[in-house]
Amino acid sequence: MGVDADSNKSFARRDELLAIEKKVHAWWEEGNVFSAESCEKPPEPGEKFFGNFPFPYMNGFLHLGHAFSLSKLEFAAAFHRLRGVNVLFPFGFHLTGMPIKAAADKLAREIQQFGDPPVFPVSVEEEEASTKPEKQESTEAQPDKFKGKKSKAASKAGTQLYQWEIMRSFDLDDTEISKFKDPEAWLNYFAPIAVDDLKEFGLGVDWRRSFVTTDINPYFDSFVRWQMRKLKELGKIVKDVRYTIFSPLDGQPCADHDRASGEGVLPQEYTLIKMEVIPPFTEKLRVLEGRRVFLAAATLRPETMFGQTNAWVLPDGKYGAFEINDNDVYIITHRAALNLAYQGFSRIPQKPTCLVELTGHDLIGLPLKSPLTINEIIYALPMLTILTDKGTGIVTSVPSDAPDDYMALHDLKSKPALRAKYGVKDEWVLPFEIIPIIHIPGFGDKPAEKVCVDMKIKSQNEKEKLAEAKKQTYLKGFTEGIMLVDEFKDRKVQEVKPIIRKKLIEIGQAITYSEPEKKVMSRSGDECVVALTDQWYITYGEPDWKQLAEECLSNMNLYSDETRHGFEHTLGWLNQWACSRSFGLGSRIPWDEEFLVESLSDSTIYMAYYTVAHLLHQADMYGENTSNPVKPEQMTDEVWDFLFRGGPYPESSTISSALLKKMKQEFEYWYPFDLRVSGKDLIQNHLTFCIYNHTALMDKRHWPRGFRCNGHIMLNAEKMSKSTGNFKTLKQAIQDFSADATRFSLADAGDGVDDANFVFETANAAILRLTKELAWMKEVMDAEASLRSGPPSTYADRVFANEMNLAVKMTEQHYQNYMFREALKSGFYDLQAARDEYRFSCAASGLNRDLIWHFMDVQTRLLTPICPHYAEHVWREYLKKDGYVVRAGWPEAGAPDMTLKSANKYLQDSIVQMRKLLKKQVSGSKKGSKQGAPMTQLAEDKKLVGLIYVNEEYAGWKLECLRILQSKYNHETRSFAPDAEITEALKNTDVARGMDYKQMSKVCMPFVRFKKDETLALGVHALDLKLPFGEIEVLSENVDLIKRQLGLEHVEVLSATDRDALERAGSLRSLLDQNPPSPGSPTAIFIDL
């Protein structure tokens, strides 16, 4: 692997960093630097930091997506550790759930079917392809593309991968793969590899506290069982029948982490309207005679059924007549029938029985008797825009209320050719008129007709316009609509909707039907349905419990408004959550061992387990250490209660009192955790569950303090995806770029909740920057004798020292706010720029030795959280410091001198302007200065003198403008009076009396607007009559710098108020008249020596 696709390029710089990292890892291991110990005395605020990260699921290798979220916690923990805070950063591994078990079972089936190693079938296309000569060209993978080991069968587009091929992509040999048909092989393989990868990454983790989940770990299993029993005792777990997203293949509910796609999708509940087919039946339906046959339409708006004029079917849609019970048959899509079968509406539970296959053409013209409508008979008619992956494929038609229905009926009425095409008789369509049922303010009694006419919609095929029409009327119809019919007349739609729905269901003219809001695919590969299941649920959303969760959230630091809104939204809709599963890996429901605890329910308070894990596991993540002083069976509910819930001392426990006291001390010292970092996608489940469970099980002082959520990571501005090859494992990134360059690019990728971007060029540039910096430091140290000794004394010394003070303060602030990209900018990029400017500014006077050594110390510490290996190497090998830089303490710094900062910016900006002006003069520009004055052409080969004229105070009309702006500025509101008031004040000044309004507007107002904008951006000091530093002093002290920068023989700094100085301008005096210098804006002219 390499940092460039060019195989001839040297990787010496990257390899230098990799060698440093290997050496530093040994130092850290020897010093046990990341182990965290509690103290008997409770910590003072800010004395300890406990951060954690959602443990990754171990069915593969860690990738850059993991590393990006993880880096946010790593940088935060490293910052606190650097400052001397006692830091606990533990890391566990999640094995609970179905993906590993499903993959192992799939592998076992492949071995049984195709052999060991398997010989997979090859398609005709692949056989033909294999007979073609292979191109003789390089197939070496580019380092920025993921390369998996796939057979032709596996890699063929559109073909689902065999599990054996997936295992090969993990660099497993065929002789090793078959053992993975046992789920335990997965548990023992990937987690240790992840530990190795994270250590190479430089993660500052206390690995003694690591553990895996599921009942393979008897200590964690005991902890989960205690948690579930306690929730049940508190009434937080109940058994209930509810609609749940369900995998028919797995035979169990499919929670978010069990899904290949559709995370966060919930059941959508409909009212299924039963429209009875009136005999005699058509030939196609003759087999159904003697049964009650219904076209069943799913609707979200049962209150509109009063306005039905017909039903809609998709002419080419595929339908079936499905047995619901011995008497009733529903004509619906196969997909809807499967959902109904799992909701108790099928003669054979969970197995829909289709009595006859149908198409929409078979249904057109069927006479129907439908609930609530004033029409005794309506007909099934063709609609071309029905989606069969939503609802039942049968749609009720209410043209008074629904724009789609109105236009489809309008098309059939107005287009005889369309009726003829689908065999629609006139009497099925023409007699049916719109039935006003709801009055919507602004849209009247026929809102669909009005909005379609207003928007000039001509056809049912204008989908975008119809979607907008629906948007305009539907919500307003629900919130403001007034019923016009029957006993509901004059009542609000939102009031009567549930009443009408209940009535339809009670009289048997409708049923409740549910399906996933969007398509959901399980990790086993099948499309999920909604099932009505009887199982164990956690009662999230219960009012009193929800109130506690809201209280906890209100006191948490979430670092962004968007994150807080996400939690508030989730708390608003989250309801009972199925916490039991019958398939997969995990801990058993202790009182109902037929079921497992599902994967999002065993991972809500495990952060507390970290505090005692090292005492239970003795550095064995699987909990199998036989020499452990605590046995799993000793961890009783009374012990867990004592440790985590403030319960009484467990007198009956056989664990030594000293060890119990130590475990209790660990929890009380570290809890609550200070920060949990996660992708924002976990707000809607795991993170909110974490809040709920802490409020139920723990004392208020142990509730979580902070969550920091981030977006996903893109690679080179494209979505990270194995299928496209735009993918990198963490190990690959380290091999390609080194750990520190990878961390550098992760810090630079972004800090908000929007998706961030890991750029390979940034990582490559980091390799170059870090190694060049090492080379520069060595060069400086080798030449130490040539450096200027003594205390800092020059202007450049003062500026550089000030820039370092500023970098220390700003970078500390950015780290505290967890804005790591900004910390990288202020603590590295800006500091590098300041150092480079210092080197140029010093020139002949030389660099000050103390300042340069201070710079190397400061930059090393500021970069430590992001590039710790590099920093540790510099600390020990270059600076010859004792101890470890990761614990060295935050660098000391004086208060930044912002006046000096402003003065230096003034100097640098002035030099830039002078260079532009000089270039114009030397090139013979006729435009002259920025005000358009003519210039004297200068000879390029002659020695030049620069005369810099400075006016340190405003005068004339500018002075008057500033005084007025000062008087019209409100310090409390930080705003100015209206422009009209400012203009009126200007008219009354002595300067403006000699101008007409047009002249005043042209001369004064641009300056007024500029100073107003500057004040709002920089503060009220922008209105000062002079700068806070002496301009002549700054320029005079830096004459040598100006001479070098501009290539001048001689430079003089002159006062524009000195008449003798003005005489020095000679024939170029006109430049000063047309470009008079003002505070912050000196005027330079150049003459031959």
Side-chain angles (χ1 to χ4, degrees):
M1 303 293 285
V3 294
D4 197 296
D6 181 0
S7 60
N8 295 319
K9 185 177 174 109
S10 169
F11 301 128
R13 291 181 180 275
R14 177 206 58 191
D15 293 344
E16 179 184 356
L17 293 179
L18 288 172
I20 288 171
E21 288 163 6
K22 184 176 181 181
K23 176 181 62 178
V24 170
H25 292 153
W27 294 348
W28 287 343
E29 196 79 27
E30 178 187 356
N32 204 25
V33 295
F34 300 126
S35 293
E37 298 295 343
S38 65
C39 303
E40 289 188 19
K41 180 185 176 184
E44 297 295 328
E47 190 175 299
K48 67 89 181 174
F49 174 82
F50 176 14
N52 50 69
F53 174 82
F55 39 30
Y57 193 75
M58 285 289 96
N59 62 341
F61 299 139
L62 297 176
H63 52 69
L64 276 181
H66 294 110
F68 174 63
S69 292
L70 188 54
S71 70
K72 304 304 181 186
L73 178 58
E74 162 67 1
F75 298 155
F79 165 67
H80 289 295
R81 185 183 299 112
L82 176 64
R83 292 174 60 241
V85 173
N86 194 8
V87 171
L88 172 59
F89 180 3
F91 201 93
F93 300 96
H94 204 200
L95 306 173
T96 306
M98 57 165 287
I100 288 175
K101 182 69 166 64
D105 289 353
K106 185 180 178 186
L107 189 64
R109 290 193 298 270
E110 289 172 7
I111 292 172
Q112 184 178 10
Q113 187 174 359
F114 301 114
D116 182 7
V119 179
F120 295 116
V122 179
S123 70
V124 174
E125 290 178 8
E126 288 163 345
E127 286 183 350
E128 291 177 350
S130 67
T131 63
K132 295 180 182 179
E134 294 186 7
K135 294 182 180 179
Q136 299 300 312
E137 59 184 45
S138 172
T139 58
E140 183 179 351
Q142 295 183 18
D144 60 342
K145 296 296 181 182
F146 174 80
K147 185 173 185 291
K149 297 180 180 179
K150 301 179 185 178
S151 71
K152 289 179 181 178
S155 61
K156 184 183 176 190
T159 303
Q160 187 174 357
L161 293 183
Y162 288 111
Q163 187 63 43
W164 192 280
E165 305 294 338
I166 295 174
M167 304 310 290
R168 281 179 176 166
S169 75
F170 295 136
D171 293 325
L172 289 165
D173 187 82
D174 278 1
T175 59
E176 302 176 277
I177 293 176
S178 61
K179 70 181 181 182
F180 286 90
K181 64 185 179 184
D182 179 358
E184 192 165 327
W186 296 70
L187 311 190
N188 294 320
Y189 183 75
F190 287 107
I193 290 176
V195 171
D196 291 342
D197 290 348
L198 292 170
K199 285 183 176 179
E200 281 193 47
F201 186 58
L203 204 67
V205 162
D206 184 351
W207 293 108
R208 302 171 304 156
R209 300 172 187 261
S210 294
F211 63 89
V212 299
T213 66
T214 75
D215 52 10
I216 194 176
N217 177 354
Y219 296 97
F220 187 74
D221 182 62
S222 169
F223 170 75
V224 172
R225 286 169 172 262
W226 162 76
Q227 175 189 349
M228 300 304 286
R229 277 193 291 265
K230 194 58 58 177
L231 287 172
K232 188 169 186 290
E233 286 175 19
L234 295 169
K236 306 300 185 186
I237 295 181
V238 299
K239 202 164 192 180
D240 198 3
V241 178
R242 291 186 63 83
Y243 289 106
T244 306
I245 304 292
F246 191 92
S247 166
L249 183 60
D250 298 332
Q252 66 176 9
C254 189
D256 280 355
H257 282 195
D258 302 326
R259 302 176 189 178
S261 64
E263 188 171 349
V265 172
L266 299 171
Q268 172 69 67
E269 190 173 283
Y270 294 87
T271 304
L272 203 69
I273 304 298
K274 296 162 63 175
M275 297 181 284
E276 187 171 2
V277 180
I278 300 173
F281 293 163
T282 61
E283 185 64 33
K284 193 75 176 182
L285 302 184
R286 194 66 52 82
V287 67
L288 304 177
E289 284 187 348
R291 305 281 193 101
R292 293 198 306 167
V293 180
F294 301 90
L295 265 59
T299 182
L300 296 171
R301 309 199 60 200
E303 75 281 3
T304 65
M305 293 303 99
F306 294 99
Q308 294 174 87
T309 58
N310 59 281
W312 298 116
V313 297
L314 182 66
D316 296 324
K318 297 186 182 303
Y319 299 88
F322 293 92
E323 277 189 300
I324 302 302
N325 51 45
D326 291 338
N327 298 317
D328 293 352
V329 174
Y330 289 177
I331 296 177
I332 50 179
T333 61
H334 289 258
R335 175 185 160 280
L338 185 62
N339 275 276
L340 279 173
Y342 277 87
Q343 296 166 31
F345 292 101
S346 179
R347 193 172 65 82
I348 303 174
Q350 302 184 359
K351 293 184 183 293
T353 305
C354 183
L355 301 177
V356 58
E357 299 279 354
L358 300 163
T359 69
H361 289 282
D362 300 322
L363 307 179
I364 294 173
L366 288 181
L368 307 169
K369 182 179 180 182
S370 192
L372 300 185
T373 179
I374 62 172
N375 293 303
E376 290 188 14
I377 296 176
I378 59 175
Y379 295 90
L381 300 175
M383 180 185 253
L384 310 181
T385 56
I386 292 175
L387 300 175
T388 55
D389 61 352
K390 200 84 171 165
T392 64
I394 306 292
V395 180
T396 61
S397 174
V398 185
S400 62
D401 194 70
D404 289 295
D405 296 344
Y406 172 80
M407 288 312 307
L409 188 62
H410 179 272
D411 284 352
L412 282 173
K413 281 192 169 191
S414 61
K415 299 175 181 177
L418 183 62
R419 297 200 297 272
K421 179 178 179 180
Y422 293 105
V424 174
K425 297 180 181 179
D426 290 355
E427 58 266 29
W428 299 346
V429 179
L430 299 182
F432 293 89
E433 299 297 335
I434 294 176
I435 305 168
I437 55 169
I438 296 172
H439 176 84
I440 302 177
F443 293 95
D445 295 350
K446 300 177 182 179
E449 180 181 48
K450 176 168 175 45
V451 73
C452 288
V453 171
D454 289 349
M455 294 183 64
K456 299 179 180 174
I457 300 174
K458 303 298 183 186
S459 162
Q460 64 181 299
N461 296 319
E462 295 185 58
K463 295 180 181 179
E464 290 185 6
K465 280 189 173 183
L466 284 167
E468 176 58 29
K470 191 186 301 184
K471 184 178 177 182
Q472 289 186 27
T473 57
Y474 270 34
L475 180 60
K476 193 168 185 179
F478 176 72
T479 57
E480 301 181 34
I482 301 297
M483 297 296 294
L484 301 173
V485 295
D486 289 359
E487 70 268 28
F488 304 108
K489 185 175 175 58
D490 296 331
R491 295 175 69 179
K492 290 185 176 181
V493 168
Q494 57 184 326
E495 175 192 338
V496 304
K497 179 176 182 171
I499 299 172
I500 294 172
R501 182 177 189 273
K502 182 181 178 184
K503 175 183 176 182
L504 285 169
I505 293 171
E506 286 177 347
I507 63 178
Q509 294 184 335
I511 62 172
T512 297
Y513 166 70
S514 192
E515 66 181 26
E517 293 172 316
K518 298 176 183 175
K519 188 174 183 179
V520 176
M521 297 298 295
S522 80
R523 291 186 184 272
S524 298
D526 73 315
E527 184 174 351
C528 292
V529 298
V530 168
L532 200 56
T533 59
D534 179 14
Q535 61 167 308
W536 295 103
Y537 291 89
I538 300 179
T539 60
Y540 300 134
E542 184 270 320
D544 291 342
W545 197 8
K546 179 181 177 182
Q547 187 173 349
L548 288 176
E550 290 171 338
E551 180 185 347
C552 176
L553 183 69
S554 69
N555 292 313
M556 291 179 70
N557 192 344
L558 301 178
Y559 301 96
S560 84
D561 290 339
E562 185 175 339
T563 298
R564 186 168 298 280
H565 295 331
F567 277 104
E568 290 169 348
H569 175 71
T570 301
L571 287 174
W573 63 259
L574 184 62
N575 211 319
Q576 287 188 354
W577 182 268
C579 62
S580 58
R581 295 289 180 269
S582 56
F583 175 82
L585 305 176
S587 297
R588 295 283 166 182
I589 297 283
W591 60 87
D592 193 352
E593 298 220 357
E594 175 188 350
F595 294 102
L596 294 156
V597 180
E598 67 92 27
S599 62
L600 282 167
S601 298
D602 79 341
S603 53
T604 57
I605 60 167
Y606 70 89
M607 311 87 195
Y609 186 82
Y610 279 130
T611 65
V612 299
H614 60 308
L615 300 174
L616 300 177
H617 285 253
Q618 300 295 304
D620 172 19
M621 72 170 79
Y622 297 97
E624 297 173 343
N625 192 332
T626 56
S627 63
N628 195 327
V630 179
K631 305 303 178 189
E633 57 270 20
Q634 291 177 286
M635 296 305 295
T636 62
D637 284 8
E638 291 74 25
V639 170
W640 293 118
D641 280 344
F642 169 68
L643 295 179
F644 298 148
R645 281 180 51 79
Y649 182 87
E651 299 289 349
S652 60
S653 176
T654 56
I655 303 173
S656 73
S657 61
L659 189 51
L660 280 172
K661 180 181 177 183
K662 176 62 175 173
M663 286 193 285
K664 180 72 170 176
Q665 174 188 305
E666 286 282 328
F667 174 72
E668 292 294 341
Y669 180 87
W670 293 114
Y671 239 69
F673 64 79
D674 299 280
L675 179 68
R676 186 164 180 78
V677 171
S678 168
K680 63 184 178 183
D681 52 309
L682 295 186
I683 292 174
Q684 63 191 2
N685 43 56
H686 163 72
L687 294 176
T688 303
F689 296 173
C690 175
I691 292 175
Y692 264 112
N693 280 266
H694 274 85
T695 61
L697 295 172
M698 293 190 181
D699 188 82
K700 190 175 294 188
R701 62 194 175 92
H702 292 142
W703 289 359
R705 286 181 176 167
F707 289 148
R708 187 192 186 286
C709 297
N710 53 263
H712 300 296
I713 188 78
M714 296 186 292
L715 301 189
N716 299 322
E718 294 180 5
K719 181 180 178 182
M720 191 168 74
S721 167
K722 279 188 180 181
S723 62
T724 64
N726 195 43
F727 183 84
K728 264 199 194 302
T729 65
L730 175 57
K731 188 176 187 66
Q732 287 172 332
I734 295 170
Q735 290 172 340
D736 287 356
F737 306 120
S738 78
D740 277 353
T742 298
R743 293 167 66 113
F744 190 104
S745 193
L746 287 168
D748 190 70
D751 293 307
V753 290
D754 295 328
D755 289 350
N757 186 26
F758 182 97
V759 181
F760 291 179
E761 286 184 9
T762 302
N764 286 332
I767 295 172
L768 185 61
R769 281 180 173 274
L770 294 175
T771 53
K772 285 181 71 174
E773 191 66 12
L774 290 174
W776 176 81
M777 284 189 279
K778 187 175 187 308
E779 178 186 324
V780 168
M781 290 177 166
D782 289 344
E784 181 178 359
S786 66
L787 299 179
R788 176 163 45 92
S789 60
S793 57
T794 68
Y795 177 87
D797 289 348
R798 296 199 306 275
V799 168
F800 187 37
N802 190 57
E803 288 296 325
M804 286 190 279
N805 288 337
L806 186 63
V808 170
K809 297 299 185 183
M810 292 297 295
T811 306
E812 182 175 28
Q813 182 179 332
H814 294 320
Y815 274 128
Q816 285 174 336
N817 294 331
Y818 304 144
M819 301 301 289
F820 305 113
R821 187 183 208 169
E822 295 303 313
L824 187 63
K825 179 181 181 300
S826 62
F828 184 73
Y829 287 115
D830 291 351
L831 203 50
Q832 290 265 298
R835 187 272 314 275
D836 293 343
E837 181 185 303
Y838 177 62
R839 291 167 65 190
F840 189 85
S841 298
C842 285
S845 64
L847 305 176
N848 180 273
R849 190 263 182 206
D850 291 348
L851 274 181
I852 289 300
W853 253 249
H854 182 58
F855 163 78
M856 289 189 287
D857 181 294
V858 166
Q859 180 179 258
T860 300
R861 297 195 208 205
L862 297 189
L863 199 56
T864 291
I866 294 171
C867 299
H869 309 89
Y870 161 90
E872 202 72 71
H873 173 72
V874 172
W875 187 255
R876 181 173 295 196
E877 301 286 1
Y878 286 41
L879 300 179
K880 306 300 182 183
K881 301 269 192 175
D882 295 330
Y884 297 91
V885 73
V886 295
R887 292 178 173 173
W890 192 253
E892 294 182 2
D897 184 342
M898 300 313 294
T899 298
L900 181 56
K901 172 80 172 174
S902 298
N904 191 55
K905 184 177 187 305
Y906 162 82
L907 172 64
Q908 302 302 328
D909 290 347
S910 297
I911 291 174
V912 170
Q913 291 302 319
M914 292 176 201
R915 183 182 294 112
K916 290 179 180 178
L917 189 56
L918 177 59
K919 184 177 180 181
K920 288 181 181 180
Q921 275 195 251
V922 170
S923 62
S925 170
K926 300 303 182 184
K927 293 182 180 179
S929 71
K930 58 186 178 181
Q931 295 298 328
M935 283 211 166
T936 300
Q937 185 169 348
L938 299 172
E940 205 162 353
D941 57 347
K942 286 191 176 183
K943 295 179 179 179
L944 301 177
V945 172
L947 303 179
I948 306 173
Y949 288 89
V950 178
N951 189 347
E952 294 189 315
E953 290 196 46
Y954 285 104
W957 64 267
K958 288 185 177 180
L959 176 62
E960 294 288 353
C961 289
L962 284 172
R963 285 175 172 166
I964 288 171
L965 286 175
Q966 288 173 343
S967 68
K968 300 299 180 183
Y969 181 75
N970 187 319
H971 290 264
E972 290 185 4
T973 62
R974 296 180 181 180
S975 61
F976 287 95
D979 285 348
E981 190 174 325
I982 294 172
T983 302
E984 189 61 35
L986 276 173
K987 287 180 183 179
N988 296 323
T989 62
D990 292 337
V991 173
R993 288 195 184 100
M995 307 181 191
D996 59 28
Y997 180 76
K998 187 174 182 181
Q999 283 178 305
M1000 187 184 75
S1001 298
K1002 185 176 180 181
V1003 173
C1004 299
M1005 293 313 293
F1007 178 74
V1008 168
R1009 284 192 292 271
F1010 168 75
K1011 296 306 289 185
K1012 282 178 61 179
D1013 292 342
E1014 190 178 33
T1015 303
L1016 296 176
L1018 303 178
V1020 71
H1021 65 80
L1023 298 178
D1024 292 345
L1025 303 183
K1026 60 183 296 184
L1027 299 183
F1029 52 84
E1031 296 181 55
I1032 293 177
E1033 180 184 356
V1034 170
L1035 294 172
S1036 298
E1037 196 169 358
N1038 289 279
V1039 162
D1040 287 342
L1041 175 63
I1042 297 170
K1043 282 162 54 178
R1044 287 200 315 276
Q1045 288 266 24
L1046 303 183
L1048 301 175
E1049 184 68 18
H1050 181 67
V1051 169
E1052 293 183 43
V1053 181
L1054 305 168
S1055 171
T1057 61
D1058 184 340
R1059 292 192 177 186
D1060 292 338
L1062 292 174
E1063 292 298 325
R1064 296 286 307 281
S1067 63
L1068 296 178
R1069 173 71 181 269
S1070 60
L1071 285 176
L1072 298 176
D1073 295 335
Q1074 295 185 27
N1075 293 279
S1078 61
S1081 182
T1083 299
I1085 60 176
F1086 305 95
I1087 58 177
D1088 294 330
L1089 185 62

